[in-house]
Amino acid sequence: MAFATADTDSPHLAPAVDASPRGLRAVADRLSGPGPGSQRVLMTSTFVNTIGNGMFMTSSILYFTRVVHLSAARAGLGLTVAGVVGVSAAVFIGDLADRRGPREVQLALLVLMSVTMASYVLIHDFAGLVLVAALDLLANGASNAVRGGLARRIGGEGAAAFRSRLRATTNAGIAIGTLVAACAIEVDTRLAYELLILGNAVTFLISAAMLRRLPHLEPLPRPARERRWSAARDVPFNAWAIANGLMTLQYQVLLIPLPLWIVSHTHAPRWSVALCLLINTLICVFFQVRVGAGVTTIAQGARAFRNAGCFFLISCPLLGLMPDVPGWAAVLLLAAGCVAHTTGELWHASGSFTLGYDLAPEHAQSQYQGMQGLWSSLLGTSLAPAILTLICVDGGQVGWFALGGFFLVLGLATIPVTHWAERTRPRYLPRPSE
């Protein structure tokens, strides 16, 4: 079995599940979610916060290099070190949210992130960057795990579809934040960059104020014999989470190797880098919900990974062929490749939402979201710059074709891994539909 047993006298374990009809109905009521009003609150709160995140994401590297006067290499190294440290808290804070209630833990994390974000204006050297970024990313990683569990409780039976709507909202917020940041970048002064940072810090507080409107969500009862940190012991779930983490490399393809590829190896104009990101954002905003609506079961989630791999097999070679054609044709290949890649991204995101929820026990959603996020951060974010640059930029066209093949094999391999994980799921609690 995926979950080990433990002494029932552990003080950290919640009461056993009441198996009476009344007890099962009470659990099912909790799983059904507090209603659409709460979903709107979380979506609005997320939208405000991601506007600030878009402001910071767009301008941060320029702030570190032009204001703090770090080299691009040292800034990147500092953020990488901080990122590795930052993923360490997700599982622990996720478990705390499962035991105490996700709303209160998320409120505390939003306030903490407001402080850590504002602290970026105080850094003056490499050590300061690593310290502040590590604290900020630690809180951010924990917040992502808790928000995932919160979305599961609020979304009820349609939690995966609700996550798709949240993702579309996130993309829209980041797009608006990017436009705001562009104005500050054009001014290019210390004050302009610091106003972006402090503005982002304020969005965390506004987001927290909005989130206070959510009701308290009682922790779900745990099985009497379950050990703490069950997510770390769940081998089948972790096997799927590792596959998902490797697939998460795809999120960085359009951000890291593609701009370098366009500028240094193709005849496409430099502005086409922005065109690619615009295509990606618009497709995510308008089609993520539609794709996610068709991925609601574990079997559909596994097939979504297969579909994603197929689209990546199309997109990567299209991008790899750009050096062989003139500038106008390279732009067309770029647009086609971005459309195919983003379509694969939609399938991957939808599959990961559904499988991340349905392969995890209901009472430990935030803890499992933290474990899923840990593998995604380690394999799909921390390693992405080195791996993707080596494969796609240094490896040239062969590397782009190999990357497409890798994603296809990974998508196909996810199907038996998912089936294995599904077969080993203990049925602790009833699903909302039962």
Side-chain angles (χ1 to χ4, degrees), residues 156-189:
E157 294 183 54
F162 177 49
R163 280 292 294 272
S164 292
R165 295 198 297 276
L166 273 178
R167 185 167 189 267
T169 300
T170 297
N171 277 275
I174 289 175
I176 294 173
T178 299
L179 294 177
V180 175
C183 300
I185 292 171
E186 184 66 25
V187 176
D188 195 31
T189 64

Side-chain angles (χ1 to χ4, degrees), residues 186-391:
E186 184 66 25
V187 176
D188 195 31
T189 64
R190 170 185 284 271
L191 178 60
Y193 289 115
E194 289 181 344
L195 286 175
L196 288 178
I197 293 172
L198 295 175
N200 188 20
V202 171
T203 66
F204 286 108
L205 296 178
I206 297 174
S207 180
M210 292 179 172
L211 215 59
R212 284 175 57 85
R213 297 169 55 194
L214 290 179
H216 170 68
L217 299 172
E218 289 289 339
L220 294 175
R222 293 168 176 261
R225 295 181 60 82
E226 183 190 288
R227 286 183 182 178
R228 292 284 299 279
W229 319 122
S230 57
R233 297 183 175 90
D234 191 337
V235 176
F237 179 88
N238 278 280
W240 170 78
I242 289 172
N244 179 63
L246 290 171
M247 185 72 87
T248 303
L249 281 169
Q250 59 88 7
Y251 287 115
Q252 307 299 320
V253 169
L254 304 186
L255 299 175
I256 297 175
L258 184 58
L260 298 174
W261 182 248
I262 291 172
V263 172
S264 60
H265 291 79
T266 78
H267 302 289
R270 292 176 182 267
W271 56 259
S272 60
V273 173
L275 173 66
C276 178
L277 297 179
L278 178 63
I279 291 173
N280 176 264
T281 300
L282 291 177
I283 291 177
C284 287
V285 169
F286 289 107
F287 294 100
Q288 181 66 73
V289 175
R290 182 175 300 181
V291 173
V295 184
T296 58
T297 66
I298 291 178
Q300 290 171 342
R303 289 195 293 271
F305 271 73
R306 178 201 61 194
N307 295 345
C310 291
F311 277 102
F312 295 143
L313 181 65
I314 296 171
S315 66
C316 290
L318 285 175
L319 300 174
L321 291 173
M322 289 173 61
D324 296 335
V325 298
W328 66 268
V331 172
L332 294 179
L333 280 177
L334 174 65
C338 288
V339 169
H341 190 92
T342 306
T343 304
E345 180 181 321
L346 300 181
W347 282 111
H348 172 220
S350 299
S352 67
F353 293 156
T354 295
L355 296 178
Y357 283 144
D358 287 359
L359 294 178
E362 300 293 355
H363 64 275
Q365 287 287 323
S366 293
Q367 182 189 157
Y368 272 71
Q369 287 289 308
M371 183 60 68
Q372 179 183 341
L374 185 149
W375 287 117
S376 295
S377 296
L378 290 178
L379 301 177
T381 303
S382 299
L383 299 180
I387 291 178
L388 293 177
T389 301
L390 177 65
I391 294 175

Side-chain angles (χ1 to χ4, degrees), residues 18-27:
D18 180 0
S20 68
R22 177 178 298 179
L24 293 180
R25 281 196 301 271
V27 171

Side-chain angles (χ1 to χ4, degrees), residues 35-167:
S38 295
Q39 294 185 19
R40 286 193 296 271
V41 169
L42 184 56
M43 289 182 68
T44 305
S45 172
T46 300
F47 177 69
V48 170
N49 188 209
T50 52
I51 291 176
N53 289 342
M55 292 158 50
F56 183 70
M57 290 166 53
T58 306
S59 61
S60 59
I61 191 64
L62 295 175
Y63 172 73
F64 299 142
T65 55
R66 298 179 67 81
V67 176
V68 184
H69 301 298
L70 297 173
S71 67
R74 283 180 66 79
L77 175 62
L79 293 174
T80 298
V81 173
V84 172
V85 174
V87 301
S88 60
V91 177
F92 301 102
I93 302 300
D95 177 68
L96 177 65
D98 290 325
R99 291 185 294 113
R100 302 298 183 187
R103 171 188 176 271
E104 288 71 21
V105 175
Q106 183 68 349
L107 284 172
L109 288 170
L110 286 170
V111 174
L112 175 60
M113 285 188 289
S114 177
V115 175
T116 58
M117 178 56 57
S119 299
Y120 277 106
V121 303
L122 303 177
I123 64 174
H124 300 289
D125 52 23
F126 178 77
L129 170 63
V130 173
L131 175 62
V132 172
L135 293 173
D136 182 53
L137 294 176
L138 186 148
N140 185 70
S143 175
N144 288 336
V146 176
R147 186 171 60 247
L150 185 60
R152 172 65 185 95
R153 292 292 301 275
I154 291 175
E157 294 183 54
F162 177 49
R163 280 292 294 272
S164 292
R165 295 198 297 276
L166 273 178
R167 185 167 189 267

